[in-house]
Amino acid sequence: MMSSIFDIVLLNSILIAAIWFNMNTKNTLLRNLPKVDRVLDDIVHSQNSSVPLSLIKSAIREEIESFREHILSGDISELPSTSNEWNRLFENAIKRKNSLNLRRVINGTGIVIHTNLGRSLLGEASITALQTAGACFTNLEFDLSTGKRGSRYSLVEDIICDLTGAEAALVVNNNAAAVLLALNTLSYNRETIVSRGQLVEIGGSFRIPDVMSRSGARMIEVGATNRTHLFDYENSIHEETALLLKVHTSNFRVIGFTSEVPVPDMVSLGKKHNIPVMEDLGSGSLIDLSPWGLPKEPTVQEIVKDGVDVVTFSGDKLLGGPQAGIIVGKKDIISQIKKNPMNRALRIDKFTLASLETVLREYYNLDTALHSIPTLAMLTADPEKVKKKGQRILRRLGGGVKCKGTIALQATTSRVGGGAMPEYGLESWALVLTPGEKGANVLEKSFRNLDVPLILRIENEKMIVDLRTILEQDIPLLIDILGQFLQQRIEK
Ligand SMILES: *Cc1c(COP(=O)(O)O)cnc(C)c1O
């Protein structure tokens, strides 16, 4: 008790001193930050004259600002000490800012339909069509036979109907938009019946219950998570029922004691009560890939044949086209959907139409489609060929394999991706990199920071470059990167 006042005074002084010292160092650091105008001259001289001055200024300002934030949050306690060090930082910042944000990467993950890496790639015919659509005027909404305004949808509708057997078709921005638009058209302020086992979430916040409520449809859940029967649907049907919905559970499986109502039974029930049936198919394959060893997924044609009134699916998953949502079905229903004002807000642009048309046309010839559509080519690639790709790369790397890092060719498993065939692994081959003392995570980061980043998987402290998703045009770059890895020349 006696010493308490003294203690408190002492403690307070220490605290104040600490705060003062802290503020003082922070203030000193802030004062020592370079001023944009001062460094500008130096930097401008060192830059290629093609870099715009406004971009240089902005990059310098952002770099200094980022230091200021880190000082204030206490993350850094010292600054670069020489102007050379500062200049190097500014030059890197300018280089980053002056390069495109959307860049090419090498997909070494083995995930064929990789949503984060842009899903499906387009083949040559599509790229040509994209160039034309971008560089030239087109008949996007101009009917060449009448000389009057035309519909952009008519450019692909007949082809989609040919391929799927549907009466009519419409294409929108993506499949999420397709589901939203269809529900809004068919079930606004009315009820849609859906099985509890199909209330799926697709990555990126697409959840059936949420989309349903945004569409204005009232969701009536029936059945149990693992089992839903026809009587569950039938017992919930009344005058407010507008739609029976089936959602293809593409990204998960319920196994064990399960039961789903077969599509034809739902269709019969719908017919009996005069209520349309819709299926959100998700991936929407136009080819049965089971002869190539992949799991059997229902194709769009099969669902249409079963008599489903509306089917929605993605353009850039198993179909292998651009991002799009395709709606096919009965003529009267599709024409209602076309008239929905929301359709205008979700419409596709000319680039999507240009590339989608070329991809769809590939499907007239299934033999060549498997080669010319990159997604299908990667999915059906023979593991032996994938292995040969690896052998070719190793040969080109020469005897380097004896260097500090090591690279080995090993069997691995690729994934389909895009939420399709979740538990299925494709037999594949990978270059497996054993990191040196830097460790896999540090190297993974340095590969990610290259001019053309290499994205790979880490498994058991090893870096896996799955060759299934390595494109022919990636190979020279990959050899270069691996050569640097072997010499441990890659900087952090
Ligand atoms: C992927 C998927 C969607 C969303 O499709 P996007 O084209 O990504 O918008 C919707 N429903 C199902 C069942 C899906 O698998």
Side-chain angles (χ1 to χ4, degrees), residues 13-201:
S13 336
I14 293 171
L15 216 69
I16 289 167
I19 292 171
W20 179 84
F21 179 75
N22 197 357
M23 270 172 34
N24 201 32
T25 38
K26 276 188 183 177
N27 281 336
T28 313
L29 288 172
L30 289 174
R31 258 200 314 278
N32 288 342
L33 281 174
K35 306 276 175 291
V36 180
D37 294 335
R38 292 234 186 105
V39 287
L40 198 58
D41 266 354
D42 255 13
I43 298 290
V44 169
H45 285 303
S46 73
Q47 289 295 313
N48 185 325
S49 59
S50 69
V51 185
L53 184 63
S54 59
L55 186 146
I56 296 177
K57 266 190 196 164
S58 178
I60 295 174
R61 199 172 294 126
E62 281 165 17
E63 189 69 15
I64 296 174
E65 193 46 44
S66 140
F67 267 96
R68 189 185 313 280
E69 277 163 21
H70 282 117
I71 293 169
L72 290 173
S73 62
D75 295 344
I76 52 174
S77 54
E78 59 182 330
L79 296 176
S81 51
T82 65
S83 57
N84 268 352
E85 272 175 72
W86 274 112
N87 287 355
R88 204 165 328 123
L89 286 173
F90 291 136
E91 277 153 17
N92 282 337
I94 293 163
K95 190 177 161 210
R96 277 199 306 275
K97 202 176 172 69
N98 199 36
S99 49
L100 288 178
N101 292 330
L102 182 66
R103 285 151 63 192
R104 168 183 177 186
V105 305
I106 299 174
N107 178 4
T109 65
I111 300 168
V112 177
I113 307 170
H114 197 309
T115 298
N116 302 147
L117 303 184
R119 285 201 188 157
S120 285
L121 307 180
L122 299 172
E124 247 172 72
S126 302
I127 301 305
T128 308
L130 284 174
Q131 273 167 346
T132 306
C136 310
F137 290 112
T138 54
N139 61 332
L140 180 65
E141 287 189 351
F142 185 76
D143 186 331
L144 291 170
S145 57
T146 63
K148 298 211 169 72
R149 186 189 170 140
S151 150
R152 64 177 64 207
Y153 303 109
S154 66
L155 297 169
V156 287
E157 183 166 10
D158 288 351
I159 306 175
I160 297 173
C161 292
D162 275 355
L163 298 175
T164 62
E167 291 173 12
L170 173 67
V171 186
V172 290
N173 182 59
N174 58 8
N175 188 36
V179 174
L180 180 75
L181 181 66
L183 289 173
N184 178 270
T185 310
L186 302 173
S187 183
Y188 186 73
N189 258 337
R190 298 186 64 209
E191 293 178 358
T192 289
I193 304 179
V194 61
S195 158
R196 288 201 167 86
Q198 297 168 3
L199 299 179
V200 294
E201 174 183 312

Side-chain angles (χ1 to χ4, degrees), residues 65-351:
E65 193 46 44
S66 140
F67 267 96
R68 189 185 313 280
E69 277 163 21
H70 282 117
I71 293 169
L72 290 173
S73 62
D75 295 344
I76 52 174
S77 54
E78 59 182 330
L79 296 176
S81 51
T82 65
S83 57
N84 268 352
E85 272 175 72
W86 274 112
N87 287 355
R88 204 165 328 123
L89 286 173
F90 291 136
E91 277 153 17
N92 282 337
I94 293 163
K95 190 177 161 210
R96 277 199 306 275
K97 202 176 172 69
N98 199 36
S99 49
L100 288 178
N101 292 330
L102 182 66
R103 285 151 63 192
R104 168 183 177 186
V105 305
I106 299 174
N107 178 4
T109 65
I111 300 168
V112 177
I113 307 170
H114 197 309
T115 298
N116 302 147
L117 303 184
R119 285 201 188 157
S120 285
L121 307 180
L122 299 172
E124 247 172 72
S126 302
I127 301 305
T128 308
L130 284 174
Q131 273 167 346
T132 306
C136 310
F137 290 112
T138 54
N139 61 332
L140 180 65
E141 287 189 351
F142 185 76
D143 186 331
L144 291 170
S145 57
T146 63
K148 298 211 169 72
R149 186 189 170 140
S151 150
R152 64 177 64 207
Y153 303 109
S154 66
L155 297 169
V156 287
E157 183 166 10
D158 288 351
I159 306 175
I160 297 173
C161 292
D162 275 355
L163 298 175
T164 62
E167 291 173 12
L170 173 67
V171 186
V172 290
N173 182 59
N174 58 8
N175 188 36
V179 174
L180 180 75
L181 181 66
L183 289 173
N184 178 270
T185 310
L186 302 173
S187 183
Y188 186 73
N189 258 337
R190 298 186 64 209
E191 293 178 358
T192 289
I193 304 179
V194 61
S195 158
R196 288 201 167 86
Q198 297 168 3
L199 299 179
V200 294
E201 174 183 312
I202 323 292
S205 74
F206 178 94
R207 285 172 159 187
I208 289 294
D210 300 343
V211 172
M212 187 93 76
S213 85
R214 287 289 167 157
S215 74
R218 289 202 300 276
M219 181 171 75
I220 305 299
E221 304 166 42
V222 297
T225 308
N226 56 334
R227 287 171 78 82
T228 302
H229 308 278
L230 194 61
F231 60 75
D232 291 318
Y233 291 92
E234 184 142 35
N235 291 344
S236 298
I237 291 178
H238 61 116
E239 64 275 12
E240 282 297 294
T241 310
L243 189 67
L244 305 180
L245 173 67
K246 175 172 181 177
V247 183
H248 185 57
T249 52
S250 36
N251 61 357
F252 73 101
R253 289 275 179 278
V254 186
I255 54 165
F257 186 52
T258 65
S259 167
E260 243 188 21
V261 176
V263 173
D265 294 356
M266 279 182 78
V267 170
S268 311
L269 183 65
K271 282 223 175 81
K272 183 169 150 198
H273 295 272
N274 204 18
I275 297 166
V277 176
M278 165 170 156
E279 175 154 2
D280 173 20
L281 200 47
S283 260
S285 185
L286 294 179
I287 299 186
D288 173 12
L289 292 171
S290 60
W292 288 269
L294 283 97
K296 172 85 185 79
E297 283 273 308
T299 62
V300 180
Q301 303 88 296
E302 286 164 353
I303 303 296
V304 168
K305 206 166 181 187
D306 280 342
V308 172
D309 301 274
V310 205
V311 188
T312 58
F313 54 99
S314 273
D316 55 352
K317 291 186 183 169
L318 284 175
L319 190 98
Q323 179 190 304
I326 302 175
I327 311 175
V328 300
K330 301 276 160 66
K331 207 166 198 124
D332 56 327
I333 289 186
I334 298 296
S335 70
Q336 281 179 58
I337 298 176
K338 281 180 182 166
K339 286 189 204 117
N340 186 335
M342 221 192 231
N343 181 24
R344 176 63 176 77
L346 304 173
R347 80 174 182 190
I348 48 167
D349 72 323
K350 59 182 178 180
F351 298 109

